[in-house]
Amino acid sequence: MRHRELSAAGSSDAFTDLLFNALLGFAMMFIIAFMLISDPEEEGKVEAKAEMLITVRWPDQHPDDVDMLIEGPQGEIVWYHNRDSGLMHLDRDDRGLLADSVTMDGKTVMNPINQETITVRAIQSGEYVVNLLHYRSHYGDPLPVSVKVEKLNPEVSLVHYGKLDLGGTGDEQTAVRFRLDADGNVLGTNRLQKRLLTQRSEEHTSE
């Protein structure tokens, strides 16, 4: 009788140990699986790195539409029809007063600033051409526009700052041309005129 009680107790202890080990195994597997799960939000994050910033400004609350066009060393052009070339990106396309109103808490708020910005994400040696296009003019007077080119790393430094007057709808002017070496050093700047948009249009027409 005593032997049967000991056997039953031993069987119960063995079952308890087996159940505990099984639960422990499941718990460890759950912890490992949880650690291996990747956060999709983290995967989607891209470091917003920029090496250079080009900014165009014209008078606040002015209705005219000005477009910036930049040609990179490989001949790629970034503007509102092609906002991203891989190394350059149009961050803000400003169309004058158009779409400058935002509704917040039932109230209409106006953004008076007329500004376009393009960032250069990685340094590539060669020449960059910064052109301005007076896409739409509402007055007959020349439109004053300022252009600023900044190198951001290792610290912010001014590459170019200048002003020019756009003469009306369709007027395209070269604001600045600058050349970089492989280390991002500025080798020089000039304002030799080079058409970008109208040149591309003529090339497509001739084809």
Side-chain angles (χ1 to χ4, degrees), residues 10 19 23 39-40 43 46 55 58 66 79 84 86 94 97 116 127 135 139 144 163 167:
L19 181 61
L23 291 175
D39 187 350
E43 289 183 354
V46 178
T55 306
W58 62 101
V66 175
W79 63 312
D84 198 314
D94 197 307
L97 291 180
E116 286 206 3
E127 185 183 53
Y135 185 80
Y139 307 117
K163 297 182 179 181

Side-chain angles (χ1 to χ4, degrees), residues 84-117:
D84 198 314
S85 72
L87 295 182
M88 298 186 296
H89 181 73
L90 175 62
D91 298 306
R92 174 178 167 81
D93 175 31
D94 197 307
R95 302 170 66 186
L97 291 180
L98 188 62
D100 272 357
S101 61
V102 179
T103 302
M104 300 177 60
D105 298 329
K107 298 181 179 180
T108 300
V109 180
M110 296 295 297
N111 176 16
I113 299 175
N114 285 325
Q115 174 177 291
E116 286 206 3
T117 57

Side-chain angles (χ1 to χ4, degrees), residues 18-47:
L18 180 62
L19 181 61
F20 176 78
N21 289 332
L23 291 175
L24 182 62
F26 279 118
M28 290 299 298
M29 292 174 60
F30 177 79
I31 292 174
I32 293 173
F34 183 77
M35 292 174 63
L36 293 177
I37 293 176
S38 60
D39 187 350
E41 293 184 0
E42 292 294 329
E43 289 183 354
K45 290 181 180 178
V46 178
E47 184 180 358

Side-chain angles (χ1 to χ4, degrees), residues 7-17:
S7 298
S11 299
S12 177
D13 291 340
F15 178 77
T16 302
D17 291 341

